[in-house]
Amino acid sequence: MTPLRVYAIDGIVPVVDPTAYVHPSAVLIGDVIVGPGCYVGPCASLRGDFGRLILEAGANLQDTCVMHGFPGTDTVVEENGHIGHGAVLHGCRIGKNALVGMNAVIMDNAIIGESSIVAASAFVKASQEVPPRSLVAGVPAKVIRPLSDQEMGWKADGTRTYQELTRRCLATMVETTPLTTIEANRKRIEMPDVVPLTQLKNPGRQE
């Protein structure tokens, strides 16, 4: 597999736990700490050239996400945090088991409470504090309501899927060259236990 794009700066070298998976197209610079069982997706940028960036155990940071922060700050995704495609985290703290939706922006000194969900494309202002187990949405983001047990279950299932993806990537992902034609009876990725959230919300609907 292609070597990771990992860079030291000012003598500070990123740390990646051996049980984590970091895609080779992701970039890690300087004061970055990736904990056990974490997943870092393609083209993610973790720029620890000013402040410290921390992914705690079981967290995921998906495709094209950005983490950065001012000098002297920690930008943290706590244990089992779930950061959706294209989100930006700057000098903030994402609480244990919280989820940040696709393309959301979390600004400096903001705190997302444990087990909360930030909706896709939301903008969480600097120093805003989101209470635990809350749904927040909008620009600027506002607390919409508490989360249900069912929603917490959906979130936990999604995070477990990414933790399993970490193990799949470590075990089977290899760099290769593309085929030039579609093979007969081309196989699909088989994940029978993973059901799209749209179907869980609307069990009678056929996609």
Side-chain angles (χ1 to χ4, degrees):
M1 181 173 288
T2 303
L4 297 180
R5 299 168 71 184
V6 176
Y7 304 89
I9 189 169
D10 295 339
I12 299 175
V13 180
V15 178
V16 178
D17 188 275
T19 63
Y21 175 78
V22 177
H23 190 274
S25 67
V27 177
L28 280 59
I29 300 172
D31 198 359
V32 177
I33 301 170
V34 179
C38 290
Y39 173 87
V40 178
C43 300
S45 175
L46 293 85
R47 274 185 50 214
D49 48 12
F50 290 0
R52 178 168 293 175
L53 313 179
I54 302 170
L55 296 179
E56 294 186 356
N60 68 75
L61 187 80
Q62 298 171 22
D63 325 40
T64 73
C65 288
V66 174
M67 287 183 73
H68 195 241
F70 288 116
T73 67
D74 290 355
T75 304
V76 182
V77 180
E78 294 183 9
E79 183 178 355
N80 294 332
H82 188 110
I83 312 301
H85 317 286
V88 176
L89 309 180
H90 202 279
C92 57
R93 177 173 288 270
I94 311 302
K96 181 178 179 180
N97 197 45
L99 182 151
V100 175
M102 293 181 279
N103 290 316
V105 176
I106 318 295
M107 291 299 293
D108 300 276
N109 301 316
I111 299 174
I112 307 302
E114 180 175 343
S115 299
S116 286
I117 292 178
V118 177
S121 297
F123 179 81
V124 178
K125 296 186 296 184
S127 300
Q128 182 172 350
E129 294 193 24
V130 172
R133 198 165 164 160
S134 300
L135 173 65
V136 296
V139 180
K142 297 180 180 179
V143 175
I144 305 301
R145 56 174 173 78
L147 290 164
S148 68
D149 289 342
Q150 183 181 51
E151 288 166 325
M152 285 286 83
W154 290 341
K155 187 275 169 193
D157 288 344
T159 300
R160 280 192 292 269
T161 299
Y162 268 88
Q163 291 166 347
E164 176 58 25
L165 177 59
T166 296
R167 293 185 284 270
R168 289 171 56 210
C169 289
L170 289 171
T172 71
M173 186 177 286
V174 294
E175 189 170 10
T176 187
T177 55
L179 302 175
T180 56
T181 59
I182 302 171
E183 63 269 59
N185 301 313
R186 179 176 173 84
K187 66 180 291 188
R188 290 181 176 269
I189 301 290
E190 295 185 6
M191 301 177 67
D193 296 331
V194 178
V195 179
L197 185 56
T198 52
Q199 291 185 24
L200 291 172
K201 289 183 174 180
N202 303 285
R205 178 179 175 183
Q206 298 296 318
E207 294 297 322

